[in-house]
Amino acid sequence: MADELLIRTEELVKVFPMGRSEVRALNRVSLDFRAGEFAGLVGPSGSGKTTFLNVVGSLDAPTSGSAEVLGRRIEGLSHREAADLRNRSIGFIFQTFNLLPVYTAYENVEFPLLLLRVPAAQRRRMVMDALEWVGLADRSRSRPAQLSGGESQRVAIARAVVKRPPLLLADEPTANLDAENSHHILRTMAALNRELGTTFLFATHDEKVIAYLHRKITLVDGRVERDEPLTPAAGRETGP
Amino acid sequence: MITLRLALRNILGTGIRAWLNAFIISIALVASSWNQGVVAGMDEQAARAARDLEYGGGQYWQESYDPYDPLTLEEAHSPLPEELRRLVNEGKATAVLMMQGSIYPQGRMRSILLKGIDPRQHVLDFPTSALSAAGAGLPALIGGRFARAVDLARGDTVTLRWREPGGAFNAEDATIVHVMQTTLAAIDNNQAWLPLDRLQEMARLPGAATLVVLAPGTAPLSAPPGWVFRDPDFLLRDLRELVKTKSVGRVVLLVIFLSLGMLAIFDTQVLAIFRRRREIGTLVALGFTRGQVVRLFTLEGALHGVLAVLLGAAWGLPLLWLQARLGFAVPPGTEDMGISIGERIYPAYGAGYILGVAVLSLAVTTVVSLLPSRRIARLKPTDALRGRAS
């Protein structure tokens, strides 16, 4: 599993029409990510971080170039195939948590497993395991409106990892959290990366996140400006 | 299954708005069912009254008889053929002789129909036995409406005039032996019932009749020569047409109420899609296909219809049942519209109709929900995740 090539993009270009002109959000981005990486795309707003995650996450198609994720060519996927890829192999963590408001924490975490038709008993065990990883087993009956920002993001992490996806994409996961909660969820993600071997790819400009990364890719105006390995400065040894 | 589960949770999660929408549709269901019940009840009661008081199990008409042409009435009679006379003698039919005449209540002249019927008959359910009253000279039975119209009451004497076959006019005083209260204008308005043998004698038409009413439940014989058999369906044809015309109102009411409900649901769906874009994006990110999201929102809308049926059953069925039991008073003047109903209408509800309206509202709700949901297919997941419209 380790060192296995998980993501490969070649000359990836994404152009958005903007009125009469167009914005080149990704400009010939070629990157490889291997299984087990804890990597981050950093850069200012508009640098193309989220666009890259969206393409890799099969939520968007590239304008040109290619993106191969878990052996699947993103640009050739139908809507159904893309949905299947996301369902089985990719977890998402969003800046705004994006929990389903009518579901409890338990049900939010359970949701991807329902889509995968995991049997009930196994599902229950997996959900409770995921909630325990993020330290929220005792809040399983709470609805999103009853959870704090930090707790909501931890539920979102549990939802993303419950199906044990090989790849987890996190878009500004700490942007709506205070420092303490940010460190808490980052430690959680680092532990999941270490213990489950889940590959994490972040889009962030938060220094707190960068402090946890093993690899930092700096994007500027849709181009890779720098791709450097890092020695994590914080929390890698600390479990959730 | 997961789509249904999520849809159910979502719709119940919207709280009062979902119930309000469902309530409006339930009003459409209940009001339409009530309206249909009233029309069906009117139809049933009117048909029953016509059968009991006028048509029986069908009528044999003398071939010249045309109820819409009073000018031919003079010729519309002939002696009863043997087959029909046998039915009459066995009590399975009763003969009626009709002729034009006039009465002179309070010195005014009024054209009426003179109808002769056997006072001992039991085929038609009105009090002809009153015509057996002894010492009344020429006894006459009239209806309540007609009595009011000409200001006659029981015991009054009134002059009757008629034309004999030779063309000469004859007259005789008749005594009103009974004023019957009936819902059926056809045996009441502008007519006087006399004993059949007396009318035959007055008209010099011994043994003659204009029509023969068959007792309900009696198997009809083939019509003898010179006579035509009219079955109950033929006789009730006009009534059915009238009821059908009145049913148009029922459809209009259903359309108005359903449209209001559907407008509310359409509005709710459009708003939901606008407000829940981020949720749509999340579902897609989690692995829902666009088709599944469209199905989810359509199902949510359609569930309004299901809630409406449940809600309508909860408050509507007891109400409809109560109405069917107690009925309601017929407004004055309704009988003049041409349908004889009775003093109260008892709605008669058809399970098929109620079920049909429920299924229709479910189908329409689904279609109305599908229309705005199709927009989701055009929504880009990346925009949806940011809460933006594509």
Side-chain angles (χ1 to χ4, degrees):
Chain A
M1 180 81 179
D3 270 4
E4 180 193 341
L5 188 63
L6 217 61
I7 303 168
R8 163 163 286 173
T9 66
E10 287 177 348
E11 301 287 309
L12 199 62
V13 173
K14 180 68 188 179
V15 176
F16 293 109
M18 191 73 76
R20 287 182 183 176
S21 60
E22 53 185 33
V23 173
R24 192 165 281 251
L26 293 175
N27 195 357
R28 304 178 68 180
V29 175
S30 299
L31 288 167
D32 287 354
F33 294 92
R34 301 196 169 271
E37 283 204 50
F38 202 77
L41 301 161
V42 300
S45 291
S47 58
K49 308 183 294 290
T50 298
T51 305
F52 186 84
L53 286 197
N54 286 340
V55 172
V56 167
S58 74
L59 290 169
D60 212 349
T63 307
S64 66
S66 73
E68 192 176 316
V69 178
L70 296 152
R72 312 285 297 274
R73 296 291 287 260
I74 297 294
E75 61 273 20
L77 294 179
S78 66
H79 284 306
R80 189 174 289 275
E81 288 167 336
D84 188 61
L85 175 67
R86 289 191 296 271
N87 187 9
R88 294 182 187 285
S89 310
I90 304 175
F92 288 90
I93 298 170
F94 305 102
Q95 176 181 339
T96 46
F97 325 135
N98 292 26
L99 298 179
L100 300 174
V102 294
Y103 273 12
T104 61
Y106 181 94
E107 290 165 332
N108 263 286
V109 178
E110 186 188 29
F111 191 82
L113 301 180
L114 288 169
L115 287 177
L116 289 169
R117 300 179 194 279
V118 175
Q122 189 185 348
R123 204 164 64 220
R124 177 164 179 75
R125 203 171 51 247
M126 290 170 80
V127 172
M128 289 315 293
D129 281 353
L131 283 170
E132 273 166 25
W133 286 333
V134 297
L136 283 176
D138 57 332
R139 303 299 307 270
S140 63
R141 289 168 184 269
S142 302
R143 289 183 190 279
Q146 299 165 318
L147 298 172
S148 68
E151 287 171 330
S152 293
Q153 193 60 301
R154 280 149 66 195
V155 172
I157 293 168
R159 181 179 66 183
V161 299
V162 69
K163 59 189 175 188
R164 309 277 179 97
L167 175 62
L168 212 147
L169 305 173
D171 189 3
E172 306 279 10
T174 54
N176 284 341
L177 301 179
D178 58 29
E180 188 187 338
N181 272 311
S182 295
H183 282 296
H184 193 152
I185 69 130
L186 284 164
R187 279 198 299 273
T188 303
M189 289 194 272
L192 289 168
N193 168 252
R194 195 173 56 240
E195 289 169 21
L196 301 179
T198 309
T199 306
F200 278 78
L201 181 53
F202 293 87
T204 186
H205 54 249
D206 184 347
E207 289 300 331
K208 293 189 290 296
V209 177
I210 295 168
Y212 283 78
L213 298 178
H214 276 183
R215 179 184 171 194
K216 182 173 100 173
I217 298 124
T218 306
L219 291 180
V220 175
D221 295 334
R223 288 178 185 275
V224 177
E225 193 178 80
R226 227 173 14 255
D227 184 353
E228 54 194 323
L230 293 178
T231 304
R236 291 311 310 264
E237 309 76 29
T238 315
Chain B
M1 196 59 196
I2 186 175
T3 313
L4 177 65
R5 187 173 149 182
L6 187 57
L8 204 59
R9 293 295 291 271
N10 282 339
I11 192 168
L12 294 177
T14 57
I16 188 78
R17 198 154 10 111
W19 289 106
L20 270 175
N21 287 341
F23 183 65
I24 290 173
I25 304 169
S26 79
I27 291 176
L29 292 175
V30 175
S32 168
S33 300
W34 177 81
N35 193 241
Q36 183 272 345
V38 170
V39 173
M42 280 164 64
D43 180 24
E44 202 176 293
Q45 283 174 240
R48 195 185 314 128
R51 190 189 61 224
D52 293 349
L53 301 171
E54 189 183 11
Y55 298 145
Q59 293 181 338
Y60 292 93
W61 289 2
Q62 201 277 341
E63 62 184 355
S64 304
Y65 175 59
D66 179 354
Y68 301 110
D69 184 4
L71 298 176
T72 60
L73 199 56
E74 213 166 305
E75 308 300 324
H77 47 73
S78 56
L80 279 185
E82 181 55 35
E83 305 93 304
L84 296 183
R85 192 180 309 127
R86 198 178 317 119
L87 280 177
V88 171
N89 291 340
E90 288 171 359
K92 293 178 179 171
T94 191
V96 175
L97 176 64
M98 295 185 203
M99 59 187 287
Q100 293 281 7
S102 310
I103 59 167
Y104 295 85
Q106 282 81 42
R108 291 175 288 118
M109 190 189 86
R110 184 157 178 147
S111 292
I112 64 165
L113 205 55
L114 298 175
K115 289 182 169 178
I117 190 165
D118 182 357
R120 293 161 302 176
Q121 67 82 31
H122 295 290
V123 173
L124 297 178
D125 188 20
F126 65 93
T128 52
S129 59
L131 294 170
S132 307
L138 176 59
L141 168 68
I142 59 173
R145 286 186 201 79
F146 184 50
R148 282 191 297 278
V150 293
D151 198 17
L152 285 173
R154 184 178 175 178
D156 287 352
T157 300
V158 65
T159 302
L160 298 185
R161 193 183 74 150
W162 68 96
R163 200 158 72 166
E164 293 178 348
F169 282 98
N170 203 345
E172 187 174 341
D173 283 344
T175 303
I176 307 299
V177 291
H178 188 70
V179 175
M180 61 177 168
Q181 298 305 324
T182 175
T183 60
L184 192 63
I187 62 165
D188 181 332
N189 284 345
N190 296 316
Q191 55 195 281
W193 292 85
L194 307 174
L196 178 63
D197 54 350
R198 293 296 305 274
L199 188 61
Q200 287 170 337
E201 195 182 304
M202 287 154 61
R204 297 179 200 278
L205 295 168
T210 305
L211 54 87
V212 172
V213 184
L214 199 61
T218 304
L221 306 170
S222 56
W227 293 76
V228 181
F229 181 70
R230 301 297 189 190
D231 63 19
D233 283 344
F234 177 88
L235 296 168
L236 289 169
R237 204 174 46 186
D238 289 350
L239 176 69
R240 301 270 189 248
E241 285 299 317
L242 199 61
V243 169
K244 202 184 286 179
T245 310
K246 290 184 189 303
S247 326
V248 173
R250 173 180 74 185
V251 176
V252 171
L253 193 74
L254 176 65
V255 168
I256 290 173
F257 274 112
L258 267 185
S259 303
L260 283 175
M262 295 311 132
L263 200 66
I265 288 176
F266 188 85
D267 193 40
T268 303
Q269 288 292 96
V270 171
L271 260 176
I273 290 163
F274 183 75
R275 280 189 305 109
R276 292 166 58 192
R277 281 163 302 179
R278 201 185 295 272
E279 186 185 328
I280 292 168
T282 306
L283 289 170
V284 171
L286 290 175
F288 253 41
T289 60
R290 287 177 183 183
Q292 278 177 304
V293 182
V294 171
R295 270 204 296 282
L296 170 69
F297 276 75
T298 306
L299 204 55
E300 280 183 30
L303 280 174
H304 283 102
V306 176
L307 284 185
V309 170
L310 295 178
L311 210 57
W315 70 265
L317 287 182
L319 204 68
L320 297 180
W321 176 80
L322 207 65
Q323 272 269 284
R325 261 183 79 86
L326 303 178
F328 60 91
V330 174
T334 306
E335 286 164 4
D336 298 333
M337 289 161 58
I339 296 186
S340 302
I341 299 157
E343 290 173 358
R344 300 185 76 76
I345 293 179
Y346 295 91
Y349 304 109
Y353 181 84
I354 295 178
L355 216 64
V357 172
V359 170
L360 174 74
S361 68
L362 284 178
V364 175
T365 312
T366 307
V367 171
V368 166
S369 309
L370 176 65
L371 294 176
S373 303
R374 285 165 59 200
R375 284 181 178 198
I376 295 168
R378 296 199 298 268
L379 203 59
K380 283 175 66 179
T382 47
D383 287 339
L385 277 169
R386 289 183 201 145
R388 287 201 320 221
S390 295

